[in-house]
Structures are given as structure tokens and as C-alpha cells.
Amino acid sequence: MLRKNADSEVIRITGARQGLTEDVRGRQRRYVISMSVRTVSVVLAAVLWNVERHVAIVALVLGVLLPYVAVVIANAGRENVTSLPTTFVPMPMRPALEAAPAESGDAQGASGRVPPPHEPS
């Protein structure tokens, strides 16, 4: 039987990062789509070479540049989640030390200053 404790902490995972397998699957999907567009553009360049040379050249340039873009997109890495807690722990603020009032019989003298130490000769 489940019991709810009033003092137990509830952990929310809505801000958690995407799982590694899902991330890899998404990158693979983007890479396959980019390579499919590249294949279509190279085939289009070959088909249109004698018909419409300008469109064929644009498709050929797209087919040459897309592998680089696809690899950069596929290797872009995981998403950055800014809502995750930080591991930085700030130093607690300590109050400044206050000087104690000087007593008359103290070695500090009447002015409250400590005399400089004597250098050995």
C-alpha cells in the first residue's frame, strides 16, 4: 500500500534532458534526411545537365555541400538545458570582524595601535 509523507521531497523531471538513445536516433534521422536530399540533388543535376544547365549546377553545388552540413548537424551534440541546477555552490557571506576596544594596560598603548615587530640584529 502506498503512503504519502508530508515531509518527503517531490522530484520533478520535466526539465530533464532527452535520453541518449532518443538523442542518437534524432541525429541519425537528421543525417538520413540530409543525405536523401543530397542524393536527390545529385540525381537532379545529372538529369538536368543537358536540359537546364543553371539548375543542374545549383543542384550539383548543393550535392557537394550537403555532406559537410549533414555531418555538422548530426554531430551538433546534445541540447543545452539551462533550467538544470548548477553545481556551483556560492560561499556563505561572513560578517566582517570588528576591532575590540583597547584596554589601558595592554601592549598596544594609548593610541590602540600595535607597535611594529623588532628586527633581530
Side-chain angles (χ1 to χ4, degrees):
M1 193 163 163
L2 298 174
R3 296 182 356 182
K4 289 186 178 181
N5 293 334
D7 59 345
S8 66
E9 182 181 347
V10 177
I11 300 172
R12 299 176 191 240
I13 61 166
T14 56
R17 291 169 57 162
Q18 184 180 20
L20 185 59
T21 56
E22 294 172 7
D23 182 57
V24 170
R25 189 179 310 129
R27 287 198 257 165
Q28 287 174 343
R29 186 179 314 122
R30 288 190 300 265
Y31 184 77
V32 167
I33 290 170
S34 298
M35 288 295 104
S36 300
V37 170
R38 177 193 184 231
T39 303
V40 168
S41 67
V42 169
V43 169
L44 188 66
V47 169
L48 294 177
W49 189 257
N50 289 330
V51 179
E52 189 66 39
R53 180 106 12 154
H54 299 304
V55 177
I57 291 173
V58 169
L60 190 62
V61 168
L62 185 66
V64 169
L65 293 179
L66 260 177
Y68 172 75
V69 173
V71 168
V72 169
I73 289 173
N75 293 332
R78 301 187 75 180
E79 76 278 357
N80 293 330
V81 179
T82 58
S83 63
L84 290 177
T86 180
T87 58
F88 176 73
V89 178
M91 293 286 293
M93 295 298 294
R94 291 191 235 171
L97 297 175
E98 295 179 15
E103 294 182 14
S104 60
D106 199 4
Q108 293 178 350
S111 67
R113 296 185 185 170
V114 177
H118 297 289
E119 294 182 11
S121 46

